[in-house]
Amino acid sequence: MKLQRRRKIVKYTDILDRPIRFNPFVFSRMFILWAILGLIGGIISGSYWMVLMFLTEVLGAYQGWLVIPVMAICGLLAGLIIYFLGDPGEMQLIVNNIRFNKGKLDPKNNPSMILSSLLCVASGGSLGPEAPLVQVTGSTGSWLGKIFRLKGEELRSLSIAGMASGFTALFGAPLGGSLFALEILHHKHAVEYYKAIIPALVASGFSYVVFALIVHLGLGPAWHLPAYEMATVFDFVWAVFFAVIATFIGWCFIFCTKFFKNLFEKLKTPIYVKTLIGGLLLGTIAFYIPLTRYFSHFEIEELLTGDLTMEFLAAVLFFKVIAIAITVTSGWRGGFIIPLFFCGTALGLLIHSIFPSISLSLTIVSCMAAINACVTRTPMSTTILLATLTGFTYFIPILFASLTGYFLAPRIPFISAQMEENELKKAKKNK
């Protein structure tokens, strides 16, 4: 007993001898680093968006049959940029680097990604700017981490925070963008890197403010749906039912993408030839159905406000799925989240014409949630993103639809890097 008492006395004496440090706040120097990253991410995203809108206005002046040569030339130029400046990769490369490369995202291919994606998105490709922004802002986080000599989880968290700032800037949803940056990296049913959630939230918050000040986007719902009031508890059943139909469309998109991927892989030609062919195909589709052109941020509102027939909606949905698949597989650069939301909107309007007594907002949001969760496997962030983007304040029906799409998704994910490391090795061996 005397020995234990002596040990306690020595311990307390040692504590009292140390200088007292009083910090009434939780934040540390890392908070300042996350904030700086968010500010830089917001500036990058805002600048990218301004240039994108300018190029879109210039190239959008070419209508009618001219859209075919314009998109073909832009595809060729984008392919030449990738060929000479280096291939920036796609979303699964980002996921692989976060998971298997200690969270390091290499910024050396950012010029190639920025220039090629600007041409692809502005000319009318069915891919959005979210993937380019995520790569650029994420690699900016890696660059800052290298400057401050961060290692391990701190470096990985900074890269993820950079990714979140890019997602948030475009979607105008700090919480949804932060969760999406984490959730897109997961494998099976586990959300990894949860330690990065606070860095992601801080960077997203600062990025959101800067982006909103520059371009005045994200200050309210992007797409305006009719006000929704829950009628009965069966609304949840309807949400699941509509989600099942949307998940089927998600499967169709995945198989369509695999089909075109096999076709383009058989072409033993440089990437600029593939992007040229992709531009010709996309331009032809856009000539006959102009609503399928572009990444659909503004076209979703056209769908919602237009008085469109069932036949036209079915054609728009069918050819939009093909257009996204061609854009993804022919070497064009961009992200497919907003285009998938467009497909969900078209499907929701089509279903509503069959079931007019069911809320239009519930139908559309359920389809949007399910198809995106099926392809990207991000049910939590999809729920929050859609609630923010559409102003649909009832989270539960969206969550039911998102989970339906997630659990009915194909066993092998669309983004193959989302598989566990041992599963990924097996899949590569089978190929």
Side-chain angles (χ1 to χ4, degrees):
M1 289 293 290
K2 289 183 179 180
L3 182 62
Q4 290 180 353
R5 287 178 181 175
R6 287 179 182 176
R7 285 178 177 174
K8 286 183 179 179
I9 291 172
V10 171
K11 181 180 178 182
Y12 294 146
T13 305
D14 181 58
I15 293 172
L16 291 173
D17 283 340
R18 296 175 187 173
I20 297 175
R21 295 177 181 177
F22 178 68
N23 182 5
F25 304 108
V26 174
F27 74 79
S28 61
R29 69 182 184 90
M30 290 304 298
F31 173 87
I32 299 173
L33 191 57
W34 303 333
I36 292 172
L37 177 59
L39 292 173
I40 295 173
I43 293 171
I44 291 173
S45 302
S47 303
Y48 183 96
W49 183 266
M50 297 291 285
V51 175
L52 176 63
M53 291 298 102
F54 171 76
L55 288 176
T56 302
E57 186 176 351
V58 171
L59 297 174
Y62 298 95
Q63 300 290 332
W65 66 269
L66 289 175
V67 73
I68 300 176
V70 165
M71 294 190 71
I73 293 170
C74 287
L76 175 63
L77 293 175
L80 288 171
I81 289 170
I82 295 170
Y83 184 79
F84 287 107
L85 296 185
D87 191 348
E90 298 173 350
M91 182 60 73
Q92 59 184 15
L93 178 62
I94 298 175
V95 176
N96 272 332
N97 285 338
I98 291 292
R99 292 182 59 193
F100 307 128
N101 193 31
K102 301 178 181 179
K104 298 176 183 177
L105 300 177
D106 196 344
K108 70 177 182 180
N109 288 327
N110 283 351
S112 175
M113 173 59 90
I114 292 171
L115 295 174
S116 61
S117 64
L118 280 172
L119 281 170
C120 293
V121 178
S123 63
S126 289
L127 288 179
E130 60 269 23
L133 286 179
V134 165
Q135 176 164 324
V136 175
T137 54
S139 61
T140 302
S142 296
W143 173 72
L144 276 178
K146 186 178 180 181
I147 289 177
F148 288 93
R149 299 180 180 179
L150 300 182
K151 295 181 180 179
E153 288 302 316
E154 284 190 336
L155 176 60
R156 196 194 308 271
S157 294
L158 202 62
S159 298
I160 295 173
M163 291 171 58
S165 70
F167 272 125
T168 294
L170 180 62
F171 293 116
L175 181 56
S178 301
L179 283 176
F180 202 98
L182 270 68
E183 209 172 6
I184 197 75
L185 304 171
H186 74 195
H187 66 86
K188 283 196 173 181
H189 311 306
V191 178
E192 297 183 293
Y193 317 121
Y194 55 88
K195 292 181 181 178
I197 186 63
I198 297 300
L201 285 171
V202 173
S204 293
F206 280 89
S207 175
Y208 170 77
V209 172
V210 173
F211 186 79
L213 287 174
I214 294 174
V215 302
H216 304 290
L217 271 180
L219 299 175
W223 310 307
H224 300 87
L225 296 176
Y228 169 73
E229 290 293 336
M230 187 178 296
T232 66
V233 72
F234 288 105
D235 280 6
F236 299 117
V237 179
W238 283 114
V240 172
F241 173 67
F242 298 145
V244 171
I245 301 173
T247 304
F248 172 75
I249 300 299
W251 276 72
C252 292
F253 166 72
I254 292 171
F255 281 109
C256 186
T257 303
K258 288 183 178 180
F259 171 76
F260 281 106
K261 183 178 181 181
N262 291 331
L263 286 181
F264 280 107
E265 283 180 348
K266 290 178 181 178
L267 290 175
K268 305 301 180 182
T269 57
I271 188 168
Y272 53 81
V273 176
K274 296 179 182 179
T275 53
L276 170 63
I277 295 172
L280 287 171
L281 295 173
L282 292 170
T284 303
I285 295 173
F287 170 68
Y288 287 103
I289 308 180
L291 204 56
T292 61
R293 194 182 179 191
Y294 299 114
F295 69 101
S296 305
H297 183 85
F298 302 105
E299 284 69 27
I300 288 177
E301 196 68 23
E302 289 186 38
L303 276 182
L304 294 173
T305 56
D307 187 15
L308 308 175
T309 63
M310 289 180 61
E311 292 78 9
F312 183 75
L313 287 171
V316 165
L317 176 60
F318 178 78
F319 284 104
K320 186 65 174 180
V321 168
I322 293 177
I324 302 172
I326 292 173
T327 314
V328 169
T329 55
S330 62
W332 284 47
R333 291 295 179 258
F336 46 78
I337 297 168
I338 295 180
L340 287 177
F341 285 157
F342 177 90
C343 293
T345 305
L347 178 63
L349 290 168
L350 190 60
I351 293 174
H352 182 72
S353 61
I354 302 173
F355 300 96
S357 60
I358 309 301
S359 167
L360 175 62
S361 298
L362 177 66
T363 309
I364 290 175
V365 168
S366 299
C367 292
M368 294 171 82
I371 193 170
N372 188 66
C374 173
V375 176
T376 63
R377 299 198 176 193
T378 55
M380 290 188 297
S381 52
T382 294
T383 301
I384 298 172
L385 281 175
L386 281 176
T388 306
L389 290 169
T390 63
F392 194 96
T393 56
Y394 290 83
F395 275 72
I396 306 303
I398 312 178
L399 180 60
F400 274 47
S402 296
L403 289 174
T404 301
Y406 175 78
F407 285 110
L408 294 182
R411 184 179 62 85
I412 299 176
F414 178 74
I415 303 173
S416 59
Q418 289 179 333
M419 291 189 289
E420 288 188 278
E421 189 170 6
N422 57 347
E423 292 179 336
L424 196 58
K425 289 179 180 178
K426 288 180 181 178
K428 288 180 179 179
K429 287 181 180 180
N430 292 332
K431 284 185 178 180

